[in-house]
């Protein structure tokens, strides 16, 4: 897959094909640049993935962090999000320039292990280690006199903001070793 040896010899953490062009493939890598000092980089792109010998380009954000996941916004060409061990990075030009979406956008600088895009709303969901799930609001909500104010003044200073998604925990149900739920006649078979 990499006959030119341009991608560092590290663990692959994610792959993402561009759904509008099957020849475009992104790959994220774990590890740090010091492990492969002659081959830095954590995000690589090929524009000829269907070729027998695809060529790869380093399009990594400027951070020597483990890259854990990737999500492409196929409704906006060139826009992709990369989850790292310290937040999310976003590019709108295919990896030429990057913006870090960290604490200033409401997302803690924690490992992001999964990113999902909701095409209908354009929202990005970031699933973190130990801090829960966050959604990226990419467009400000217009205020109305009849609706409560959703955004704070500080959040309007940024083009987008992460908000915490609250989950309702399930109530634990006691398990009885002698109750009817463990009687042999009520256990599932086969």
């Amino acid at each position: 897959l990499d006959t030119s040896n341009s991608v560092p010899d590290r663990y692959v953490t994610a792959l993402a094909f561009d759904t509008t062009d099957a020849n475009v493939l992104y790959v994220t890598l774990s590890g740090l640049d010091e492990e492969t000092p002659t081959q830095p980089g954590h995000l690589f792109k090929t524009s000829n993935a269907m070729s027998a010998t695809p060529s790869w380009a380093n399009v990594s954000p400027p951070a020597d962090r483990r890259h854990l996941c990737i999500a492409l916004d196929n409704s906006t060409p060139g826009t992709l999000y990369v989850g790292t061990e310290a937040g999310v990075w976003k590019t709108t030009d295919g990896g030429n320039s990057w913006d870090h979406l960290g604490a200033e956008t409401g997302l803690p600088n924690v490992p992001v292990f999964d990113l999902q895009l909701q095409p209908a709303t354009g929202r990005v969901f970031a699933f973190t280690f130990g801090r829960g799930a966050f959604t990226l609001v990419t467009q400000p909500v217009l205020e109305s006199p009849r609706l409560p104010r959703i955004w704070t003044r500080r959040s309007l200073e940024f083009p987008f903001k992460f908000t915490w998604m609250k989950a309702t925990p399930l109530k634990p149900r006691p398990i009885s070793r002698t109750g009817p739920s463990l009687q042999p006649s009520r256990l599932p078979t086969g």
Side-chain angles (χ1 to χ4, degrees):
L1 191 60
D2 181 28
T3 56
S4 64
N5 199 30
S6 54
V7 177
D9 187 19
R10 289 191 240 137
Y11 290 108
V12 172
T13 54
L15 297 168
F17 275 97
D18 185 332
T19 59
T20 62
D21 184 353
N23 271 308
V24 177
L25 171 65
Y26 292 89
V27 60
T28 59
L29 304 175
S30 187
L32 301 172
D33 288 344
E34 65 189 32
E35 296 170 15
T36 55
T38 60
Q39 291 180 299
H42 301 278
L43 175 65
F44 289 82
K45 173 186 177 181
T46 181
S47 296
N48 61 344
M50 298 303 179
S51 165
T53 57
S55 57
W56 294 90
N58 182 353
V59 293
S60 302
D64 187 18
R65 301 282 188 177
R66 289 169 182 87
H67 287 44
L68 306 169
C69 56
I70 184 169
L72 276 64
D73 184 351
N74 290 313
S75 65
T76 310
T79 299
L80 56 127
Y81 300 85
V82 177
T84 71
E85 64 181 0
V88 175
W89 288 82
K90 177 186 178 183
T91 181
T92 57
D93 58 12
N96 292 319
S97 63
W98 291 90
D99 292 314
H100 183 245
L101 310 179
E104 71 279 359
T105 64
L107 177 68
N109 286 324
V110 295
V112 174
F113 285 98
D114 193 16
L115 289 167
Q116 296 293 320
L117 272 68
Q118 185 180 38
T121 63
R123 290 187 178 217
V124 179
F125 295 89
F127 300 91
T128 70
F129 178 79
R131 295 297 290 269
F134 293 80
T135 181
L136 176 64
V137 179
T138 57
Q139 298 176 358
V141 177
L142 298 177
E143 291 186 33
S144 164
R146 293 181 287 151
L147 296 175
R149 183 175 169 144
I150 296 173
W151 286 51
T152 64
R153 178 172 163 71
R154 177 184 148 100
S155 68
L156 289 175
E157 295 171 4
F158 299 98
F160 35 76
K161 179 175 175 60
F162 275 98
T163 56
W164 185 68
M165 293 175 13
K166 184 177 180 183
T168 305
L170 297 174
K171 292 184 179 180
R173 200 173 74 191
I175 298 175
S176 169
R177 294 185 182 266
T178 58
S181 62
L182 292 179
Q183 291 176 355
S185 64
R186 296 202 177 197
L187 293 175
T189 58

